[in-house]
Amino acid sequence: MERHLLRVLPATLACAMALTACSAGGFGSAGSVTIRLVAADYGDKESNSSKHYWDDVTSAFTAANPGITVDVQVVNWNDIDSQVKEMIRSGNSPDVLETGGYADKVAGDLLYKASDVLSIGTQANLLDSFSRAGQVEGIQYGIPFVSSARAFFYNKAIFERAGIAKPPTTWDELRQDAVLIKAKVPGSIPYALPLGPEESQAETMIWELGNGGGFTDESGRYALNSPQDIDTFSWLKARLVDPGLTYADPARTDRKTAFADFAAGKAAMLDGHPSLVQMSKDAGIDYGVTPIPGRAGPLKSTLGVADWMMAFKERGHRKEIKKFLDFVYSEENTLKFDETYNLMPVTHDALLEMTTNGKHEDLAPFLALLPQATFYPLGDTSWDAVSAEIKKSGGGAIKNPAGVLGDLQKRADTLRAH
């Protein structure tokens, strides 16, 4: 997701200085247990580091559960994957990890099932689509923590100059609007299409979903060169790219460029996530947000993205982890994190509160679509490698749909076989 620090509570030091006082089950005083949490940092500077959030939560948890201490490490997104791999390799896994993916840990048989470490009430409070996205072979291991989604952004001022009264709901309407914008608002980018390596898998999946396609078929097998997906890229090539209605080379254009162009008033239309709301406000852009146009009408779903909690079996602290996670997933705590970092909820109670409290009107289109979100094949242990291949070469499908998608399919089949 759009993403920093190391902190160890004093109990760890105390334990190291007085080993005789530590229980066999973990660090801490006799009769107590310390669980280790490693979490990604969502702040962009020290003043808004996630460290502050977790300090507050763990202090409140320990006050309510005096026998359990939580040792927290907050790590920036650039380093967390490598640090966690080293922890696992050295036999020093955390008890709880919050980061971007879980499938590789499931493949290593490292994790508790979600049902082992969440109460029935907490499980039921998770949005169904997100719970399913946390499953591997029908069993949930990944526990959604925060989410994001995609919706369609348009520049109202550019639309007015082009004589367009309302946003498009279909691909053909989008193309017609793009033609008008090119003719009547010279110098603007009618549709900002980012298929560069930063996040080409997201833009690709959004367009393919709009044509009844996607990365997998109904059985869960990769279907990167399905007839629907080839047709999607053929349409984009013939109707948007070749007529000059988007970037000259979408395969080399990243999302950050498209977002910056929209915030600068240069781009008329694009698919974006909630962070673009604040970017647009800060830049004084008169914008609108609406469901993403599909081939025959607006998408009834959207691309969903989540970051995940997971619980490791290595240290055997299942009961303590369960108490901690039930505390973390209270409405008060999840809402605080979501609102602090402008993220979307993964629980029914937080979604209801954010939908009805009048504080999040700008997020209404995202919140409405969130329960029906569609996800990458996150439970497939080959997905990270396949996603990397799509980022590297998938944008080239805009020039050669069948050839590039066919090559990607062969690579995905090979990666999955291994």
Side-chain angles (χ1 to χ4, degrees):
M1 203 177 282
E2 295 70 40
R3 325 302 199 224
H4 323 17
L5 304 177
L6 179 65
R7 176 180 182 273
V8 181
L9 291 179
T12 303
L13 178 61
C15 181
M17 296 174 63
L19 292 175
T20 56
C22 298
S23 70
F27 301 105
S29 59
S32 71
V33 170
T34 294
I35 59 175
R36 296 182 58 226
L37 166 70
V38 174
D41 195 347
Y42 291 76
D44 57 3
K45 49 192 174 183
E46 171 59 28
S47 61
N48 70 341
S49 169
S50 303
K51 172 183 181 294
H52 305 299
Y53 169 84
W54 288 115
D55 282 351
D56 291 345
V57 169
T58 55
S59 294
F61 173 75
T62 298
N65 298 272
I68 308 173
T69 301
V70 185
D71 169 22
V72 181
Q73 289 178 262
V74 175
V75 184
N76 71 72
W77 278 103
N78 292 332
D79 297 333
I80 191 166
D81 286 346
S82 60
Q83 288 196 22
V84 170
K85 285 180 181 178
E86 177 58 26
M87 291 174 193
I88 293 170
R89 188 200 64 76
S90 63
N92 191 32
S93 299
D95 293 291
V96 180
L97 172 65
E98 188 277 313
T99 188
Y102 61 85
D104 58 331
K105 286 84 173 175
V106 178
D109 193 28
L110 302 175
L111 303 183
Y112 285 113
K113 295 182 290 186
S115 58
D116 290 335
V117 291
L118 296 179
S119 67
I120 293 174
T122 299
Q123 291 182 73
N125 193 32
L126 296 172
L127 297 176
D128 294 343
S129 59
F130 287 84
S131 292
R132 290 193 298 271
Q135 294 179 358
V136 176
E137 297 181 353
I139 298 174
Q140 184 182 355
Y141 296 90
I143 305 166
F145 181 60
V146 291
S147 68
S148 185
R150 299 296 195 273
F152 185 79
F153 284 72
Y154 63 100
N155 184 307
K156 291 183 177 180
I158 292 178
F159 269 48
E160 183 176 354
R161 289 175 61 189
I164 303 169
K166 58 182 181 180
T169 60
T170 66
W171 287 2
D172 283 341
E173 290 177 2
L174 187 154
R175 181 189 61 81
Q176 292 164 13
D177 291 346
V179 169
L180 285 171
I181 290 165
K182 183 179 181 180
K184 297 187 176 184
V185 192
S188 64
I189 303 160
Y191 181 83
L193 180 67
L195 293 172
E198 180 189 358
E199 203 190 31
S200 61
Q201 82 283 5
E203 189 75 8
T204 294
M205 187 165 170
I206 290 168
W207 280 94
E208 290 177 350
L209 288 173
N211 199 30
F215 292 146
T216 57
D217 60 22
E218 292 183 357
S219 69
R221 292 190 294 265
Y222 287 115
L224 303 182
N225 66 336
S226 68
Q228 298 95 323
D229 293 351
I230 293 173
D231 182 58
T232 296
F233 273 90
S234 298
W235 189 96
L236 284 169
K237 180 180 186 300
R239 302 300 182 92
L240 288 186
V241 179
D242 288 351
L245 302 176
T246 182
Y247 294 108
D249 192 355
R252 293 178 180 271
T253 305
D254 285 334
R255 181 193 66 193
K256 63 183 178 182
T257 299
F259 278 26
D261 285 340
F262 189 83
K266 298 177 182 178
M269 300 179 281
L270 81 171
D271 297 326
H273 52 61
S275 70
L276 189 54
V277 169
Q278 195 60 50
M279 285 181 65
S280 301
K281 282 183 172 182
D282 291 345
I285 299 298
D286 186 9
Y287 70 95
V289 183
T290 191
I292 295 169
R295 184 144 204 173
L299 270 64
K300 294 181 172 61
S301 180
T302 185
L303 173 63
V305 179
D307 290 334
W308 303 89
M309 282 283 190
M310 60 210 77
F312 286 73
K313 297 186 292 185
E314 181 179 308
R315 287 155 53 84
H317 294 153
R318 185 184 67 83
K319 292 181 180 179
E320 292 82 8
I321 293 170
K322 187 173 185 177
K323 285 185 177 181
F324 178 62
L325 289 179
D326 281 343
F327 187 85
V328 167
Y329 280 87
S330 69
E331 181 180 352
E332 176 186 359
N333 287 328
T334 57
L335 269 175
K336 181 179 178 181
F337 197 92
D338 294 338
E339 293 181 339
T340 298
Y341 296 104
N342 297 310
L343 293 164
M344 307 287 284
V346 296
T347 56
H348 289 286
D349 56 7
L351 176 60
L352 179 62
E353 175 63 20
M354 291 181 73
T355 303
T356 59
N357 65 13
K359 296 164 57 178
H360 306 283
E361 293 180 2
D362 291 330
L363 298 179
F366 300 95
L367 294 168
L369 291 167
L370 204 58
Q372 291 81 43
T374 300
F375 295 84
Y376 304 126
L378 302 170
D380 193 312
T381 55
S382 66
W383 168 243
D384 283 348
V386 172
S387 176
E389 292 293 326
I390 296 172
K391 291 179 181 180
K392 182 170 63 177
S393 62
I398 204 67
K399 296 180 179 178
N400 179 13
V404 171
L405 294 180
D407 289 344
L408 280 171
Q409 179 65 38
K410 292 175 185 177
R411 184 64 179 145
D413 289 340
T414 299
L415 288 166
R416 196 173 201 185
H418 292 84

